[in-house]
Amino acid sequence: YAKAMKVTVCPTVTARSADEYREQMERVAPFVERIHVDVADGIFTPVKLTPLKQVWWPHGVRADIHVMYQKPFEYLKTLLHLTPKMVIIHAEADGQFLPFAHTLHKHGIKVGVALKPHTQVEVIKDALGMIDHVLVFSGNLGHFGGQANTHLLTKVLLLRKLKPSLEIGWDGGINNRNANLLAASGVNVLNVGGFIQHASDPRHAYEELVKQTASHRKN
């Protein structure tokens, strides 16, 4: 069933200042259908990114907010106010996940959980009923770059087995040499940072990845 699900190329915005945020958002907004916004508190992560209350995106774009916070549940009110399509928090964060997930669902917001490279799928197994999306994280928290560690694809296979309808994302090191492999292995959402944001022609870089993964869109 991995192939029956759509594959989406989703550019990321990972910015440390309001100017950088606007620059990155405007670079990709004209051609994307979905965007992945990183926020980081400087505690869970080595760097601090755009504060949650300064997050915005253009009308008509679907936004997922990836909350790299030690205590993400304390920001529930702000997240509800922003009304993204999805909120992704980390399995390694502190706090009560189930009430948070329940409240987001009640407001029509999807719930995602990210797993750092060393975190095993078993940690979230019992909560999978409440989880719409799992993000397999292979990058550097709060930075563009990182390597796409393909050993982590074992997580994708296991997740797909545990919950066939689950949307599975990948974050870290995606480029034109591995996008096809990731899509073929059952990743539905390719969250792409530097390969698009640092390209001399971001639209072309995006379209190249879309073309590469096209065969996994309609089988």
Side-chain angles (χ1 to χ4, degrees):
Y1 8 65
K3 295 225 172 155
M5 296 178 85
K6 189 180 172 201
V7 174
T8 305
V9 176
C10 181
T12 63
V13 169
T14 306
R16 298 193 195 193
S17 69
D19 287 347
E20 199 180 11
Y21 187 93
R22 176 172 294 278
E23 209 176 281
Q24 289 184 19
M25 186 63 82
E26 288 176 351
R27 192 176 289 136
V28 297
F31 54 82
V32 301
E33 52 182 88
R34 182 169 173 177
I35 197 117
H36 179 94
V37 175
D38 283 330
V39 293
D41 61 4
I43 301 159
F44 185 74
T45 52
V47 296
K48 205 168 183 172
L49 299 176
T50 312
L52 204 44
K53 56 181 183 297
Q54 288 177 20
V55 164
W56 60 272
W57 56 88
H59 183 68
V61 172
R62 171 195 163 148
D64 303 335
I65 302 180
H66 179 191
V67 185
M68 294 183 272
Y69 285 11
Q70 194 60 53
K71 299 183 180 215
F73 310 123
E74 293 177 4
Y75 296 84
L76 178 60
K77 219 175 179 170
T78 311
L79 289 163
L80 292 175
H81 180 71
L82 283 166
T83 63
K85 187 81 176 177
M86 179 163 69
V87 171
I88 302 168
I89 57 117
H90 271 264
E92 306 84 10
D94 299 334
Q96 295 293 311
F97 172 72
L98 292 175
F100 177 80
H102 180 70
T103 308
L104 288 178
H105 280 153
K106 214 168 69 185
H107 287 82
I109 298 170
K110 292 190 172 191
V111 175
V113 175
L115 301 173
K116 281 161 75 171
H118 297 297
T119 304
Q120 297 305 311
V121 167
E122 284 70 28
V123 170
I124 58 165
K125 198 174 164 186
D126 293 344
L128 276 176
M130 291 291 282
I131 297 171
D132 305 298
H133 174 108
V134 174
L135 178 64
V136 176
F137 194 83
S138 175
N140 298 322
L141 288 173
H143 296 273
F144 282 141
Q147 296 296 312
N149 176 0
T150 49
H151 296 305
L152 298 176
L153 285 170
T154 53
K155 290 186 187 180
V156 176
L157 300 173
L158 179 55
L159 286 163
R160 184 66 65 221
K161 208 153 105 188
L162 290 170
K163 187 176 181 178
S165 64
L166 187 70
E167 183 181 73
I168 301 174
W170 183 282
D171 190 334
I174 298 174
N175 57 39
N176 54 354
R177 294 186 302 279
N178 57 29
N180 193 30
L181 169 68
L182 294 170
S185 303
V187 176
N188 314 113
V189 184
L190 302 172
N191 296 300
V192 188
F195 182 76
I196 292 174
Q197 290 283 5
H198 295 159
S200 53
D201 183 343
R203 184 191 287 264
H204 176 74
Y206 171 79
E207 284 168 358
E208 195 181 345
L209 297 183
V210 168
K211 208 158 93 186
Q212 270 210 13
T213 55
S215 62
H216 306 288
R217 287 163 179 255
K218 34 192 180 292
N219 298 1

